[in-house]
Amino acid sequence: MSDLPFGFGVPDRDPERRGESGGSGGSSGGGSGGGPAGNDPFGLGALFGAAGGAGGAGGPADLLGKMPLFAELQKLMNWSGGPVNWDLARQGAISQLAPGHQPTSAGERSAVTEALRLADLWLDQVTELPSGIDRGLAWSRVEWVEQTLPAWAALIDPLAERVVAAMTSALPAEAASIAGPLAGIMGQMGGVMFGAQVGQALARLADEVTTSTDVGLPLGPQGAGVLVPQNVAAFGAGLDRPEDEVRLFLALREAAHQRLFAHVPWLRQQLTDAVHAYARGIHVDREAIERSIQDAMGGMEGGLDPSDPESIQRLLGSGVLEPEETPEQQMALRRLETLLALVEGWVDSLVAAAAAERLPGHSALAETMRRRRASGGPAEQTFATLVGLELRPRRLRDASTVWGAMAQQHGTAARDRLWSHPDLLPTSDDLDEPLDFVARQGAADPFAELTDGLAEQAGDQPGDDAEDGDTPRG
């Protein structure tokens, strides 16, 4: 998951990463990674380089014919369903998963259903939020890809659209004239490129996820509790714990996630909106690009030769097209990071309360989960891939501290009541001092203060302005 499906990163957040774009993880060539280099954010260098490596800069048809991947997939070039070719993404992911595919058995399906049922019984005793599961499902890795594609499409399409728009609008006259021969098929090629890279990312993710909520978002059908038995077994490998114990631990996590997403109606949209808010901020400074191109051309050996694909590739790999992260994007990422940490922290706290004294291997299993996150688990990897966000373990620990202390000092009802409205949740600043936030909750009824404030606002601002009181905090 180290490759960026959309071909752009956030280099100013991690300056050291800018010097690693030529490494194996970000190669713009045709190796197994398949992702464009960090300094070629839109992957165009790979397209021009492939044509040049094949012996010349021909027209669009020649370009496609000389690229094996696209030559095999020309029939998908007529995709018109959006900025990402989801047919190709699905086929690519499934083809990568096929060698190790293990269909679920009747026994596994029964075991998953029973584990989720028991998990809900245990969770009933530690939270007032009711069950969010009306059926238990056991998915293979291939089924996980197929069943979660609609959720991924809703999340990813706006990002891809914005990347293409930023690329197109920011190209200066020199680069636009170079790309002219490809203008007629750039949209289709972008859909194929994104589809191939998203398919690769989903295949890698499907190798790891154990549930439908591992990435912090509800990706499965509403009301479905899901486990991936093949990955459940891999999660427990080497822990010397019984298989049913590992399954129950992961079922507790899935059931806890489902309760939250089923009974906090605004949460799903808030998470999605944070990702889309980042996408809306993607832009490239055209004037800065023009200046950089002039500087890059002046520093190139032999300058820029429009007839030489290698010259074009060097230009595109120089980093001149990297988008800058805006303050709005930083706010969106901070909000997303905080929300994901609060979700995961609440789940950790709930599972610990339900299982610590019932599940002998809870400590070992919880530690395995913590190590998985610290080394870059599915949630961290997915969002780092999509928007350059790395979910820091420190935020998760602080969020877990908030939820644990809330339950201990004010009770589980007060803890869960914070999910009643987004303005009641701790902010990123609150997570810096989690115990101070918890202490403040005992001073007054925050929900009463919030509703009183909204009522006053509605009275002071009649009409449409009254809706402003419902705007969540950033």
Side-chain angles (χ1 to χ4, degrees), residues 332-369:
L333 289 175
R334 193 180 188 192
R335 183 175 63 181
L336 177 60
E337 178 186 65
T338 300
L339 277 174
L340 288 172
L342 289 171
V343 169
E344 290 302 299
W346 187 84
V347 168
D348 283 352
S349 178
L350 216 64
V351 172
E357 296 182 1
R358 291 189 179 99
L359 210 58
H362 172 263
S363 295
L365 292 165
E367 178 62 25
T368 299
M369 183 63 69

Side-chain angles (χ1 to χ4, degrees), residues 60-77 189 192:
D62 292 337
L63 177 64
L64 289 178
K66 293 169 183 175
M67 299 173 68
L69 170 63
F70 294 120
E72 294 174 5
L73 299 171
Q74 285 187 16
K75 62 181 180 180
L76 295 176
M77 290 294 290
M189 290 191 71
V192 170

Side-chain angles (χ1 to χ4, degrees), residues 261-285:
F261 287 116
H263 301 292
V264 182
W266 53 264
L267 179 59
R268 183 192 305 248
Q269 192 62 47
Q270 286 269 317
L271 287 165
T272 302
D273 286 349
V275 177
H276 292 172
Y278 180 91
R280 289 193 296 271
I282 296 172
H283 77 284
V284 183
D285 186 337

Side-chain angles (χ1 to χ4, degrees), residues 26 65 91 111-112 152 158 240 261 292 295 302 306 371 373 383-384 440:
Q91 293 175 21
V112 165
W152 286 117
D240 196 26
F261 287 116
S292 298
D295 294 342
R371 290 179 179 177
R373 289 171 179 153
F383 284 97
R440 291 197 300 272

Side-chain angles (χ1 to χ4, degrees), residues 11-71:
D12 50 330
R13 190 185 298 119
D14 188 357
E16 295 182 0
R17 192 174 300 163
R18 301 190 66 165
E20 299 174 357
S21 60
S24 59
S27 172
S28 61
S32 60
N39 283 337
D40 181 4
F42 305 115
L44 298 179
L47 301 182
F48 286 104
D62 292 337
L63 177 64
L64 289 178
K66 293 169 183 175
M67 299 173 68
L69 170 63
F70 294 120

Side-chain angles (χ1 to χ4, degrees), residues 271 331-345 389 391-392 395-396 399 403 419 425-431 474:
L271 287 165
M331 290 179 60
L333 289 175
R334 193 180 188 192
R335 183 175 63 181
L336 177 60
E337 178 186 65
T338 300
L339 277 174
L340 288 172
L342 289 171
V343 169
E344 290 302 299
L389 168 68
L391 192 61
R392 293 170 294 170
R395 296 284 84 180
L396 292 174
W403 299 123
W419 290 107
L425 289 176
T427 65
S428 179
D429 291 338
D430 291 329
L431 292 185

